[in-house]
Amino acid sequence: MAWRWVHGRAYLMSTAECPGQLLLTSGSSETLEEVPRLEPTTSYRTLGVHLAVTGSMKKALQLQRQKSSDYAGLISNSTLNRCEAYFSFVLYFYPKISYSLPVTTFTQKECTYIQAPAMSAFLSKIGLNRHTSRTIVHGPATYGGLGIPDVYSDQGIGQLRLLLGHLRNGDQTSQLLTVAITIMQQRVGSSVLFFNLPYPKYVGWVEKTWLTSLWQFLHITNLKLNIPSVPLPSKQRTHDVFLMSDFIYKGFKKRELELINQCRLYHQVVTLADIMVADGTAIDPAFLGTKRHEDRVSTLQWPIQNCPSPKAWRQWNTAIQYLLYKGKLIQPLGVWTKRPHQQWGWVVRLSDMVLFHKHQNGWEKFSPEGKIDKRTTRKAKKPWYFRDKGSTSLPPEGIIAAVTPVFNVTDGDLFTVIWSEPLPPRRGRQQERSTHPIDEDDSSTSAQSENIQMPQLLPKFLENVEASEYFRRLVGPIQYPSEADILEIITNIISGTLLVCSDGSFSPHSGTGSHAWVFATAEGQALLQGAGPIDCHPEHLSSYRPELGGITSLLFLLTVVVRLGAIANGQVKLYCDNKSALENVFEEIPKRGIYPLLAVDYDLLVLAKDLLKNLPIKVSWGWVKGHYSGDNRQVQHDLNALVDTLATQFRQDPAAGYEPTAYPMFHPLHKAAVYIDGSMVTKTLSKAIYEQRFQVALMNTVKKRAKWTEVTFQNIDWDIFGKVFKSYSRFHQISIAKFVHGLWNTGEQKVLFKQEEEGLCPCCKSAQETTIHVFQCLAPEVVTHRDKQLLQFTEFLDEQELPKPVKQCIHAGMTTWLDSAMEKPALHAPTRGRLMPADQMATQAFVAQTTIGWDAFLRGQISHLWRKAILFSSPVRDEDAAETHLRRLIKKLHSFSLSMWECRNGIIQGNTQETRRAIRSATIRDKVKEAYTLYSEGKILLLPRDETLFERKILGMRLKGDDDTLLCWLRSLEVAINACEKQQSKAAKLAAVFFQPFRELGRQKLAERRLTMLQSQIEETKSFSEQRSVVNPEEEPYSQRETDQMETEVSDFTKSQYNLRRQKAIVVEGLGDTFFCNELDEEEQPGWYEMRSEDSIVSPGPFHAATVLEQTFSSDSSYIQSRRRDIAYSFDTFTTSSATIPTPEGYRAERRIAQMDHIDHLAEGIERMNQGTPQDEDSTFQPDTLGAQLPTDSDTSEDNTEQNWIVDKSHIGSLTAQQMLRFPLHRIMDEAPISSEADFFGSMAESPVLPETRDRSIFLIRGRIP
């Protein structure tokens, strides 16, 4: 492999860029054979996974997706029941997918892509909707989650297990991982372990690797790591800052940060102190250039970084300027807090100001010259040196300081220096610190126990116990023994008669634990005893951890005593009532591999094993039955009872300063640990991570579905609900989860998924079926079943040893809620108003449950006040007994709820097995018949290979098969339909690629035709019938489809222009009455194209009305002050007949736009009209109102007949505004008046072509200008 650098980035070269061959012999043959060479991007198959040198996972992604699709096809077409489908997923499919996940680097989106087909098919097979919220599918059981595996979570867990396992194992892989983590830490340039940094801020400029994939997972799940073996940089001087962290804070973009980081890695600097001059006031100019500083070389191992591009250097210099103000730091750096990682080539000995310079051949020193400048300036106080007066010297000794020489051309051979505060002394070689829990103590005596002076035992013993902060807290407060007791312990160890015993105490309700231990003689006399806390997160704590803590404390105290007495041989017997803890600590053959290092409570287990391994005496173990009350009672039973009492007392009343916390301490022997919310993960890693990732999301889902506030949600006793849910089998959990989260296939769900329109209850047929309606349905069969189940529930309550007020409240709440038809009716507790404390506690629980909802009570989501009410009435306040009662209650509630759902299904599907089978068989056959019908109608398209599904057997023969055969046929048909759709989609994509060049040519032709049509519209003056003349097909260069498309596009263009013109026009509001001229009678008006008139306002002549809407605004002075205008509209309805080709709406709009150009001409005419002398108004019409009486059709007077004129367009300018208002108008649309402009435009656009007798009209609308 070879690398090439492009803009500061390293890329693997391809085989063409770096040719070469590798020849090897095969077996005993001496013939050289060429080893095939792969491209760096080519994936190759390793053990279970396809990997590429570049880290590409494309091939692996395709194969994993194919596995998921294959499984989805298999399980969809199978007849597996829910149980078999679940085991096929867990035992067959998921191991195939998850085997290689620890070494893959799939993103969260890619993992979702992998599992999508299989998960959808699997959920449908186990009775869940395939769109079920994934927080419910993968969430923890505490809130009703199913805990089904998730690909991305298991990939992150696998990566984390590999990392922790190898780091704890200390093997060769551990060394490689440590090196890789260290290099990545240097690339990040932070003092915080990069695993604990926010990944999104670094994702754009840090190279993606396996470590960054794990980093992203840790960020998503909010996990933290502690790896002490990885060296972390720290600030070197006061006021120092980390460069990359500061640049991120200053808001540089990701690409800019990448360029800056390239320059930083090239110069091998971490903090601001690395690039400053010695006194910490300014930037060393050498770090602004493209050459590394020769006199400041880093001692760290850095990743290879080639010289960045000029663009990167410009960005680097820009970023550096953000650190300065006028070339200086705002806050100069102060004294050194640690030895710098850079080796300063120039240092000065502060005692005599002798300058030392390190070069390749050794050290050179320069003595300061006398005062060069006698002025009392700051410059004169600096020492001066001659360049050519250096002499060979030994390395400097004494107090030295870092120096930055200052060379100026004007000074010649003289130069001065800038020095810093004294450098911290260099640390000498230290012996490797022992990782043993107890460090070696050289002052311990080597004399035998009988020669030890008694006054030395107790102080030394206490000193060794309290030397380690970790074990001082674990062991707990010691009841100080006497000197004689310690001496007797040593004597019993040597004689082999010492007995030690430990026990633990655990409360699942409070989530706390403790342990106790005792040293005793063979007769049972206690010599030394004590108790201590067990620090652990309450959700991670179990009874196993306190037992392990007691054993570890005993082994630690034995180690202290053995070393104190310098015991070489001896024997001790250790007793404990937890056999599992004893076997894990005292296992003779350690388990191989890394996974035993990930065991539950590994932090205590590894300490116990290490202590036992380093003890020079023999420690044997024995299991003792806890709380023994038999006849064969021995010493070990008494010791176990003693430590059990001590542990319980300490848990209930811990000593001051030793209260149990949720944060276990870290010991160096742990080597690596994972933290959740600051607490070390001590239980199974996968369970803790699944809860961490999905718990909050599931809580939000539950609150959203139930419409609860945070306060209401927290009032529910989720602890008891989770314990009951976990006690069910996996398949019962699925049924309960569907009920708890509202996933029953009710009518409401069917309406939601558009399966039904109304979603009526199938039992009562009177209301929409919801989950609540299932319990409150009034169908006779449902009421009968509900009363029967309520009777059984009442009998159950009577049998339980619950307080009477609690029973009364529970029974009243359930009965009242079930009998009501409301989701949250107004309920009152039967104990309301009573003064007894037990009644008041029951009333509070009733009110809290009413707030939560009694439907939630049926789901097992009960208020935590029920527990308090039960405990308050209990004489002994036994929490275990109260929890037992609540568990039975919730299980009975779940049984009651599921029976109601079964009753509903029995009404629909039949109550007997034979009825259900018959209904199921009829449904399957109906689907088969429907499929054959659709296929015969051509509504089902299949590939030729799949048509045998219908052609092999006719419908009658197909229906002779059994139900399983028909179901398989329907599933095969579904697969065939999907295959056909995929084939069509693929063909469409290929066709789109093939016809792309032809589309480009078509677009060019359309553009040319569009330009031609637009130009022809401007010049067009003929009527519409002439415009739509028949075109000779031989002369038409375009097809009909292309012509229609071009006309549509032109129509869209002209419509847009029309809208622009309308926006420029004055908006008309408050439309008044509309008057229309009387209808023209062609028989009475022969030759209506040539009008005659005796009035002077019009001259005879032909007039062709405009074919579009025309707006004419008069400027009459009488309307200006009132802000009114007259708007004259003329409309041509295009004389047509039944044989005429219909006019397209698009062309009408085009013609309207073309005729809008005449508006200017009309406006000019009106302006001339207003400037001229007003004409005499006709006495036939009233001049003062729009609502004047118009001539009627019955009026046959010559005057009225002559007023029905059609005016020549060229003479419209001779009309005054008042004359236009009184002009006889004609209604063109229908008899109903037009009330608004919008109504008019809408009617004009949607109306059919007007008859020939109503060809041309002029009407006026009077409106107000806004």
Side-chain angles (χ1 to χ4, degrees):
M1 295 188 299
W3 300 83
R4 59 185 176 90
W5 292 87
V6 179
H7 301 298
R9 290 183 180 180
Y11 297 90
L12 282 170
M13 300 176 65
S14 63
T15 55
E17 296 173 335
C18 182
Q21 60 177 191
L22 180 62
L23 302 177
L24 296 175
T25 59
S26 177
S28 60
S29 175
E30 297 182 356
T31 304
L32 294 177
E33 298 181 3
E34 183 177 359
V35 178
R37 185 179 177 186
L38 300 177
E39 292 288 348
T41 56
T42 303
S43 299
Y44 61 96
R45 187 178 185 277
T46 59
L47 186 60
V49 63
H50 285 71
L51 300 174
V53 177
T54 57
S56 174
M57 303 299 299
K58 291 183 180 180
K59 183 66 175 179
L61 178 63
Q62 296 174 359
L63 294 176
Q64 295 283 57
R65 170 74 176 194
Q66 186 61 41
K67 293 178 183 178
S68 180
S69 301
D70 294 343
Y71 172 78
L74 291 174
I75 196 174
S76 298
N77 297 325
S78 67
T79 58
L80 301 178
N81 56 31
R82 293 185 180 182
C83 176
E84 295 168 342
Y86 176 79
F87 283 114
S88 71
F89 182 85
V90 175
L91 301 179
Y92 168 72
F93 165 71
Y94 205 73
K96 294 172 61 177
I97 294 294
S98 61
Y99 174 76
S100 60
L101 289 180
V103 297
T104 58
T105 57
F106 297 126
T107 63
Q108 187 174 2
K109 184 177 180 180
E110 291 172 342
C111 290
T112 303
Y113 172 76
I114 290 173
Q115 70 181 3
M119 186 60 67
S120 298
F122 168 68
L123 292 178
S124 301
K125 205 64 180 177
I126 63 175
L128 291 174
N129 190 288
R130 60 190 179 93
H131 298 294
T132 302
S133 174
R134 293 304 185 259
T135 58
I136 299 175
V137 174
H138 307 298
T142 305
Y143 303 101
L146 296 176
I148 295 175
D150 172 63
V151 173
Y152 185 69
S153 299
D154 285 342
Q155 175 184 264
I157 293 171
Q159 293 172 342
L160 189 56
R161 286 165 62 89
L162 278 180
L163 180 69
L164 293 178
H166 284 293
L167 290 178
R168 290 173 177 176
N169 195 26
D171 53 8
Q172 185 177 4
T173 305
S174 171
Q175 300 175 6
L176 295 175
L177 285 173
T178 303
V179 171
I181 295 173
T182 304
I183 294 299
M184 181 60 69
Q185 188 68 36
Q186 291 178 344
R187 288 187 176 276
V188 170
S190 174
S191 61
V192 181
L193 184 65
F194 70 90
F195 285 123
N196 303 332
L197 293 172
Y199 178 74
K201 292 185 178 181
Y202 297 84
V203 64
W205 52 277
V206 175
E207 183 182 2
K208 293 184 178 181
T209 61
W210 184 86
L211 291 176
T212 57
S213 177
L214 175 58
W215 181 8
Q216 183 179 15
F217 174 77
L218 295 175
H219 172 77
I220 292 175
T221 54
N222 196 22
L223 300 177
K224 306 297 181 182
L225 289 183
N226 183 12
I227 309 176
S229 60
V230 177
L232 299 177
S234 60
K235 296 181 179 180
Q236 305 172 86
R237 304 178 69 168
T238 55
H239 311 302
D240 196 7
V241 295
F242 287 88
L243 293 175
M244 294 310 300
S245 300
D246 193 63
F247 293 147
I248 293 174
Y249 176 78
K250 285 179 168 52
F252 285 94
K253 298 180 180 179
K254 294 181 179 180
R255 177 54 181 166
E256 295 173 343
L257 290 173
E258 181 182 6
L259 298 177
I260 294 171
N261 199 40
Q262 290 176 4
C263 299
R264 183 188 69 85
L265 293 175
Y266 179 76
H267 279 305
Q268 299 181 353
V269 295
V270 180
T271 65
L272 185 60
D274 293 334
I275 62 174
M276 301 298 293
V277 295
D279 61 354
T281 59
I283 302 294
D284 193 330
F287 289 102
L288 300 178
T290 59
K291 293 183 179 181
R292 289 193 175 101
H293 204 305
E294 296 180 356
D295 294 327
R296 294 172 67 175
V297 181
S298 175
T299 58
L300 303 177
Q301 295 293 328
W302 288 83
I304 299 175
Q305 175 63 55
N306 197 19
C307 186
S309 62
K311 181 179 179 180
W313 288 114
R314 289 193 297 270
Q315 187 63 54
W316 166 259
N317 291 328
T318 301
I320 293 299
Q321 297 305 316
Y322 278 84
L323 304 173
L324 307 175
Y325 178 73
K326 295 183 178 180
K328 298 288 185 179
L329 281 182
I330 300 177
Q331 178 63 58
L333 302 184
V335 299
W336 294 93
T337 58
K338 59 168 293 187
R339 190 79 179 185
H341 68 89
Q342 291 178 334
Q343 288 186 350
W344 287 71
W346 294 86
V347 294
V348 63
R349 188 164 55 203
L350 297 178
S351 60
D352 53 5
M353 296 305 293
V354 175
L355 185 65
F356 294 86
H357 178 227
K358 185 178 181 180
H359 48 78
Q360 295 180 355
N361 299 326
W363 286 90
E364 185 180 13
K365 70 176 182 179
F366 299 84
S367 298
E369 301 296 328
K371 284 189 176 182
I372 304 301
D373 194 343
K374 296 183 180 181
R375 294 173 297 174
T376 59
T377 60
R378 183 176 301 177
K379 183 178 180 181
K381 295 180 181 180
K382 293 182 180 179
W384 291 83
Y385 307 89
F386 281 102
R387 296 188 188 183
D388 54 356
K389 290 187 178 182
S391 60
T392 305
S393 172
L394 295 175
E397 296 180 355
I399 301 177
I400 61 174
V403 167
T404 300
V406 180
F407 299 99
N408 291 324
V409 178
T410 56
D411 295 333
D413 291 339
L414 285 172
F415 69 96
T416 186
V417 295
I418 301 173
W419 65 92
S420 67
E421 296 293 333
L423 289 173
R426 188 181 302 276
R427 294 180 182 178
R429 288 189 177 182
Q430 297 180 351
Q431 296 180 353
E432 294 185 1
R433 186 176 181 181
S434 174
T435 58
H436 191 271
I438 301 178
D439 295 335
E440 295 288 344
D441 190 355
D442 298 335
S443 63
S444 61
T445 178
S446 60
Q448 295 297 324
S449 60
E450 54 271 22
N451 296 327
I452 298 179
Q453 298 297 324
M454 292 184 61
Q456 298 178 356
L457 293 178
L458 183 58
K460 199 65 176 180
F461 173 79
L462 297 177
E463 180 183 352
N464 289 337
V465 169
E466 297 181 357
S468 172
E469 183 181 359
Y470 183 93
F471 284 101
R472 179 176 59 82
R473 178 169 179 80
L474 179 63
V475 172
I478 299 178
Q479 299 178 8
Y480 287 166
S482 63
E483 298 284 347
D485 291 336
I486 297 178
L487 184 60
E488 189 172 355
I489 291 174
I490 296 174
T491 304
N492 280 272
I493 292 175
I494 296 174
S495 62
T497 59
L498 182 67
L499 300 180
V500 294
C501 184
S502 67
D503 194 15
S505 178
F506 166 63
S507 173
H509 309 290
S510 60
T512 58
S514 62
H515 68 87
W517 45 267
V518 63
F519 286 70
T521 62
E523 293 78 16
Q525 180 184 358
L527 301 175
L528 182 65
Q529 62 185 17
I534 294 297
D535 297 332
C536 182
H537 195 281
E539 297 181 359
H540 302 171
L541 187 61
S542 65
S543 60
Y544 172 78
R545 184 173 178 84
E547 302 284 356
L548 197 58
I551 295 174
T552 307
S553 298
L554 280 177
L555 294 175
F556 170 74
L557 292 173
L558 279 174
T559 304
V560 173
V561 173
V562 168
R563 294 193 175 185
L564 184 63
I567 302 175
N569 295 310
Q571 187 173 355
V572 176
K573 187 72 172 183
L574 189 150
Y575 289 101
C576 183
D577 59 4
N578 191 301
K579 192 174 183 179
S580 176
L582 290 171
E583 290 177 347
N584 290 333
V585 173
F586 290 91
E587 61 180 356
E588 298 179 358
I589 304 176
K591 299 176 183 178
R592 301 181 60 185
I594 63 173
Y595 295 109
L597 306 178
L598 304 170
V600 177
D601 298 318
Y602 171 80
D603 58 327
L604 293 176
L605 182 61
V606 66
L607 294 175
K609 286 186 174 183
D610 189 78
L611 289 167
L612 181 63
K613 178 181 177 182
N614 291 278
L615 273 174
I617 63 175
K618 180 180 180 181
V619 181
S620 59
W621 62 277
W623 174 77
V624 58
K625 182 175 176 58
H627 308 283
Y628 182 77
S629 60
D631 298 333
N632 189 20
R633 191 175 183 87
Q634 300 178 4
V635 176
Q636 57 265 31
H637 297 117
D638 297 334
L639 295 177
N640 179 260
L642 174 62
V643 293
D644 180 71
T645 303
L646 292 174
T648 304
Q649 292 176 353
F650 188 90
R651 177 180 58 81
Q652 295 175 351
D653 186 20
Y658 289 90
E659 296 83 1
T661 66
Y663 308 101
M665 299 179 65
F666 183 86
H667 192 274
L669 275 179
H670 297 162
K671 296 184 179 179
V674 184
Y675 291 82
I676 295 179
D677 298 332
S679 177
M680 184 190 300
V681 178
T682 58
K683 71 173 185 178
T684 306
L685 198 60
S686 59
K687 292 183 180 179
I689 291 178
Y690 265 91
E691 291 178 359
Q692 177 68 10
R693 185 178 178 208
F694 294 104
Q695 182 167 298
V696 176
L698 182 56
M699 291 169 57
N700 295 332
T701 299
V702 172
K703 289 187 289 186
K704 180 180 179 181
R705 288 177 176 269
K707 299 179 181 179
W708 286 331
T709 62
E710 181 65 26
V711 176
T712 304
F713 180 84
Q714 295 299 333
N715 285 335
I716 298 175
D717 194 343
W718 290 108
D719 178 66
I720 190 64
F721 174 84
K723 291 178 179 178
V724 173
F725 190 83
K726 293 175 184 177
S727 66
Y728 293 132
S729 65
R730 170 64 66 180
F731 315 107
H732 200 187
Q733 286 182 1
I734 295 175
S735 301
I736 297 297
K738 291 179 64 177
F739 164 55
V740 168
H741 298 291
L743 301 179
W744 278 350
N745 190 25
T746 59
E748 184 182 21
Q749 289 281 74
K750 293 178 181 179
V751 173
L752 179 63
F753 292 106
K754 299 181 180 180
Q755 297 177 356
E756 294 182 3
E757 294 183 359
E758 298 180 355
L760 296 177
C761 174
C763 301
C764 64
K765 308 289 186 182
S766 60
Q768 188 183 49
E769 184 187 31
T770 62
T771 303
I772 296 177
H773 181 80
V774 172
F775 296 97
Q776 299 177 346
C777 182
L778 299 178
E781 300 90 342
V782 178
V783 173
T784 302
H785 180 79
R786 183 171 63 236
D787 293 342
K788 179 181 178 180
Q789 292 296 321
L790 270 177
L791 180 60
Q792 294 180 2
F793 184 78
T794 304
E795 295 175 354
F796 165 80
L797 284 179
D798 294 338
E799 296 174 356
Q800 302 303 310
E801 297 179 357
L802 293 172
K804 186 177 179 180
V806 173
K807 293 182 180 180
Q808 293 176 351
C809 289
I810 291 176
H811 183 269
M814 282 189 59
T815 306
T816 309
W817 183 82
L818 290 172
D819 292 339
S820 68
M822 302 171 61
E823 180 178 355
K824 288 188 176 182
L827 303 179
H828 302 286
T831 56
R832 185 181 61 168
R834 299 179 185 177
L835 300 180
M836 296 299 293
D839 295 332
Q840 293 180 1
M841 292 294 295
T843 303
Q844 293 178 8
F846 183 93
V847 173
Q849 189 63 57
T850 303
T851 304
I852 298 171
W854 284 94
D855 57 328
F857 187 81
L858 294 177
R859 295 194 294 266
Q861 298 163 345
I862 64 176
S863 171
H864 65 86
L865 294 180
W866 293 113
R867 184 195 294 265
K868 293 184 178 181
I870 295 173
L871 287 173
F872 184 82
S873 302
S874 175
V876 294
R877 306 291 175 91
D878 188 357
E879 292 186 354
D880 293 334
E883 183 173 303
T884 301
H885 292 314
L886 292 176
R887 283 192 178 192
R888 293 174 182 172
L889 175 62
I890 293 177
K891 288 187 176 181
K892 188 62 179 178
L893 291 172
H894 286 166
S895 176
F896 173 85
S897 303
L898 293 181
S899 67
M900 295 297 300
W901 181 249
E902 291 176 358
C903 173
R904 177 261 189 195
N905 292 337
I907 296 174
I908 301 174
Q909 303 173 1
N911 293 318
T912 62
Q913 192 68 22
E914 292 76 11
T915 306
R916 294 177 181 177
R917 188 180 297 110
I919 295 176
R920 179 173 178 269
S921 179
T923 304
I924 293 173
R925 279 161 172 74
D926 291 341
K927 291 183 179 180
V928 173
K929 293 177 183 179
E930 182 183 3
Y932 268 86
T933 302
L934 294 176
Y935 179 75
S936 62
E937 295 175 357
K939 296 181 180 180
I940 293 181
L941 300 179
L942 300 176
L943 298 175
R945 68 184 185 191
D946 297 326
E947 292 180 352
T948 55
L949 292 172
F950 292 95
E951 296 176 353
R952 182 175 297 176
K953 291 183 180 180
I954 61 176
L955 178 60
M957 295 180 62
R958 179 69 66 188
L959 294 176
K960 292 181 180 180
D962 56 6
D963 294 346
D964 290 340
T965 303
L966 295 178
L967 275 177
C968 290
W969 183 84
L970 289 173
R971 295 189 185 101
S972 300
L973 177 61
E974 183 181 359
V975 173
I977 293 174
N978 294 334
C980 184
E981 292 176 353
K982 291 181 180 179
Q983 184 69 19
Q984 290 179 348
S985 177
K986 182 179 180 180
K989 293 180 180 179
L990 294 176
V993 174
F994 176 79
F995 287 106
Q996 184 64 27
F998 300 97
R999 289 194 183 94
E1000 296 296 336
L1001 293 176
R1003 291 190 184 97
Q1004 295 179 4
K1005 293 173 61 177
L1006 289 175
E1008 296 174 358
R1009 181 63 182 272
R1010 187 182 301 112
L1011 181 60
T1012 304
M1013 293 186 65
L1014 290 176
Q1015 292 176 350
S1016 63
Q1017 283 182 355
I1018 299 175
E1019 301 173 356
E1020 190 177 35
T1021 56
K1022 296 182 180 180
S1023 65
F1024 173 74
S1025 58
E1026 295 175 350
Q1027 291 288 334
R1028 296 294 295 175
S1029 60
V1030 179
V1031 182
N1032 187 1
E1034 298 180 356
E1035 299 177 357
E1036 179 62 47
Y1038 303 98
S1039 64
Q1040 184 63 35
R1041 180 185 64 81
E1042 294 175 334
T1043 303
D1044 295 342
Q1045 181 177 353
M1046 286 186 290
E1047 290 182 354
T1048 302
E1049 293 182 2
V1050 172
S1051 174
D1052 295 338
F1053 173 78
T1054 52
K1055 285 179 181 178
S1056 63
Q1057 297 297 320
Y1058 172 69
N1059 291 332
L1060 288 176
R1061 294 197 182 191
R1062 289 208 49 194
Q1063 291 175 4
K1064 295 179 181 179
I1066 299 176
V1067 179
V1068 180
E1069 66 178 3
L1071 298 174
D1073 296 335
T1074 306
F1075 302 95
F1076 302 89
C1077 63
N1078 290 336
E1079 192 176 273
L1080 293 176
D1081 189 356
E1082 189 175 354
E1083 296 180 356
E1084 297 179 359
Q1085 301 288 343
W1088 54 277
Y1089 276 105
E1090 296 180 359
M1091 301 301 174
R1092 57 184 179 84
S1093 174
E1094 298 177 359
D1095 195 270
S1096 61
I1097 62 174
V1098 191
S1099 60
F1103 173 66
H1104 187 278
T1107 60
V1108 296
L1109 229 51
E1110 295 180 352
Q1111 301 182 0
T1112 306
F1113 300 91
S1114 68
S1115 58
D1116 190 273
S1117 60
S1118 62
Y1119 289 91
I1120 293 177
Q1121 295 180 356
S1122 62
R1123 295 185 60 81
R1124 285 181 173 272
R1125 297 289 186 273
D1126 293 333
I1127 306 174
Y1129 297 87
S1130 64
F1131 181 78
D1132 185 2
T1133 58
F1134 309 114
T1135 303
T1136 60
S1137 63
S1138 59
T1140 308
I1141 300 176
T1143 304
E1145 294 182 1
Y1147 186 76
R1148 286 188 177 183
E1150 298 169 10
R1151 293 291 299 152
R1152 291 169 186 169
I1153 293 300
Q1155 297 298 330
M1156 288 290 288
D1157 296 334
H1158 298 294
I1159 292 178
D1160 297 336
H1161 173 72
L1162 297 175
E1164 293 175 0
I1166 293 177
E1167 184 178 0
R1168 291 195 305 270
M1169 171 190 69
N1170 293 330
Q1171 294 175 356
T1173 303
Q1175 300 290 337
D1176 294 336
E1177 298 177 354
D1178 196 310
S1179 60
T1180 307
F1181 307 103
Q1182 301 297 327
D1184 56 347
T1185 178
L1186 282 173
Q1189 182 67 32
L1190 298 178
T1192 60
D1193 295 340
S1194 60
D1195 191 353
T1196 56
S1197 64
E1198 185 177 357
D1199 293 338
N1200 290 336
T1201 303
E1202 292 178 350
Q1203 297 302 325
N1204 297 334
W1205 295 326
I1206 295 296
V1207 188
D1208 186 4
K1209 182 178 179 180
S1210 60
H1211 300 286
I1212 193 171
S1214 60
L1215 291 173
T1216 64
Q1218 298 295 331
Q1219 290 172 336
M1220 292 177 67
L1221 286 174
R1222 298 185 189 86
F1223 197 81
L1225 304 177
H1226 177 55
R1227 188 173 304 183
I1228 63 171
M1229 288 298 179
D1230 47 30
E1231 297 302 326
I1234 299 175
S1235 59
S1236 66
E1237 183 184 11
D1239 292 342
F1240 171 74
F1241 283 107
S1243 61
M1244 295 302 296
E1246 299 176 1
S1247 63
V1249 180
L1250 300 180
E1252 295 181 0
T1253 58
R1254 310 174 72 175
D1255 293 328
R1256 297 176 181 147
S1257 306
I1258 293 180
F1259 60 93
L1260 296 175
I1261 299 177
R1262 183 177 181 180
R1264 179 178 294 276
I1265 302 174

